[in-house]
Amino acid sequence: MTSSSASPAFSALAPYGWDDAWADEFAPYEPEGLLPGRVIRVDRGQCDVVTADGVLRADTAFVTPHDPMRVVCTGDWVAVEPGGNPRYVRTYLPRRTAFVRSTSSKRSEGQILAANVDHAIVAVSLAVELDLGRIERFLALAWESGAQPLVVLTKADLVPDAVTRAHLVQDVELSAPGVTVLTVSAVEGDGLDVLVGLVSGGTSVLLGQSGAGKSTLANALLGDEVMEVQAARDVDGKGRHTTTTRNLLALPGGGVLIDTPGLRGVGLWDAESGVGQVFSEIEELAERCRFHDCAHDAEPGCAVRDAVESGELSHRRLESYRKLMRENQWIVAKTDARVRAELRREWKRRGSAGRAAMELKRGRR
């Protein structure tokens, strides 16, 4: 029997995103007496789950523990045992979206940072020089996750000159096609009303480097000093990890927020379509190249290189695109033998084509 919108579980979990579709997914577990709930925190093999009976502490060992892509993570909807010592999460419901990065291990595994996210807020501090390449990397992962990215330039009060601030926003907008870019000062409250309006429905995850002002921003959205805040270093704008776990918190204006620790490494994980969306103008230009598999390097009739030479496309954007595509291919190749073989053939073909093009060029001279 499927839970109805009038059930106690629905009423208690609706602020956390529970809806009829989730109730349908959970229906097979109701006869077993399991409870639906959402994971609001995970640490050391256990998790806190908000249910109609309140917040329960449960062990996650019952769910596949050896595959980092299948472990329980913050944002998951789960079926949890109503009692027991220990109490176990029996399974998680199929994820609608998942924010995944590659781990730092040599095994090139994926690591899920948050699940069932609607908005990915990339927090970037204006207290230090903008790193557009890092912003593009975050956005590629956000697009790939299935969430809608949003760039929030924090600490706007540290750039009081409106013209300078407008130029910084424009630089980010050119690196983030199709993405809303906001300037926010959590200290003065500027821009917060717009941000609250954008994230008031659904689940948002807050991402960024340590020192980007994520905890201060989270407190401003929550309307309370929930997250601990520490000052960033003046020399480089970096701070210590004030957030050490991923926490899901209900927002007073509706929706929920997942705050994450500062991310030093943001490795891609099978994010080709995400990279394509971040660099949508390059993908569009590539459709006009003479060869459908143009590498935008030495091939004749390359519309992308022509755009760089004419000033329509920046050289920095093209180099960033190449870097992320190479990294993504490398990650995929390490986990897929077929892709590795295809890449080797492609590298050989491009090498031969490049040498042929150089010979033709020398012959014309």
Side-chain angles (χ1 to χ4, degrees):
M1 178 178 174
T2 302
S3 298
S4 70
S5 57
S7 69
F10 199 105
S11 300
L13 295 177
Y16 292 89
W18 186 254
D19 56 28
D20 287 329
W22 285 121
D24 289 341
E25 292 284 0
F26 181 76
Y29 303 102
E30 281 190 305
E32 300 179 41
L34 300 177
L35 297 175
R38 193 164 196 192
V39 177
I40 59 175
R41 177 187 170 99
V42 177
D43 62 278
R44 299 178 182 177
Q46 293 190 314
C47 64
D48 294 333
V49 184
V50 61
T51 72
D53 291 349
V55 177
L56 306 179
R57 187 72 169 167
D59 197 301
T60 64
F62 196 88
V63 183
T64 308
H66 302 300
D67 183 350
M69 296 287 283
R70 297 178 64 187
V71 298
V72 172
C73 73
T74 303
D76 269 328
W77 286 100
V78 297
V80 63
E81 296 173 348
N85 187 20
R87 175 187 286 113
Y88 286 98
V89 170
R90 294 282 291 277
T91 189
Y92 59 81
L93 304 184
R95 293 162 175 155
R96 293 178 182 175
T97 63
F99 196 95
V100 183
R101 68 168 177 176
S102 66
T103 65
S104 57
S105 71
K106 294 181 180 179
R107 292 177 293 180
S108 301
E109 296 174 328
Q111 178 190 22
I112 294 184
L113 300 181
N116 303 311
V117 172
D118 301 296
H119 311 285
I121 305 172
V122 180
V124 181
S125 173
L126 287 177
V128 294
E129 185 177 354
L130 289 176
D131 186 341
L132 297 176
R134 179 168 286 272
I135 294 173
E136 289 161 346
R137 178 180 292 272
F138 270 111
L139 291 175
L141 290 173
W143 280 121
E144 191 68 33
S145 75
Q148 172 65 46
L150 168 66
V151 176
V152 175
L153 302 177
T154 65
K155 308 181 184 181
D157 52 291
L158 299 181
V159 187
D161 181 67
V163 175
T164 301
R165 195 162 58 244
H167 282 306
L168 293 172
V169 171
Q170 184 180 41
D171 286 344
V172 176
E173 287 177 336
L174 291 172
S175 300
V179 176
T180 299
V181 179
L182 299 177
T183 56
V184 169
S185 170
V187 175
E188 299 180 353
D190 295 340
L192 282 174
D193 55 341
V194 178
L195 180 58
V196 168
L198 288 172
V199 303
S200 59
T203 299
S204 301
V205 62
L206 192 52
L207 306 159
Q209 286 184 285
S210 182
K214 297 190 306 304
S215 295
T216 302
L217 186 60
N219 285 334
L221 290 172
L222 292 162
D224 197 4
E225 295 297 314
V226 176
M227 310 306 296
E228 182 185 357
V229 178
Q230 294 178 348
R233 298 190 299 245
D234 291 336
V235 65
D236 57 8
K238 294 181 180 179
R240 287 177 288 173
H241 294 312
T242 52
T243 303
T244 56
T245 58
R246 299 172 188 94
N247 304 281
L248 186 148
L249 303 157
L251 295 172
V256 294
L257 178 71
I258 300 175
D259 192 18
T260 65
L263 301 174
R264 291 191 180 94
V266 204
L268 299 185
W269 177 257
D270 198 5
E272 182 175 353
S273 64
V275 174
Q277 285 184 274
V278 175
F279 298 92
S280 57
E281 81 276 33
I282 296 180
E283 299 271 299
E284 291 172 6
L285 286 167
E287 293 179 2
R288 305 205 301 264
C289 291
R290 182 182 302 177
F291 303 107
H292 76 278
D293 56 351
C294 182
H296 320 308
D297 189 9
E299 298 90 342
C302 176
V304 174
R305 285 206 332 279
D306 288 346
V308 172
E309 291 173 6
S310 69
E312 178 185 353
L313 175 68
S314 73
H315 180 71
R316 187 206 67 78
R317 282 281 283 173
L318 178 56
E319 285 304 302
S320 183
Y321 172 75
R322 285 170 169 165
K323 178 180 179 180
L324 292 182
M325 288 297 285
R326 283 195 303 267
E327 178 182 328
N328 191 71
Q329 288 179 332
W330 181 80
I331 287 291
V332 173
K334 286 193 72 174
T335 57
D336 191 318
R338 180 184 57 80
V339 173
R340 282 199 300 272
E342 288 179 356
L343 280 176
R344 280 196 294 268
R345 287 195 295 271
E346 181 66 8
W347 290 334
K348 288 180 180 178
R349 187 197 65 76
R350 287 181 177 175
S352 298
R355 287 191 294 273
M358 289 302 296
E359 289 298 326
L360 180 61
K361 192 173 182 179
R362 291 193 188 100
R364 286 176 178 172
R365 290 179 182 174

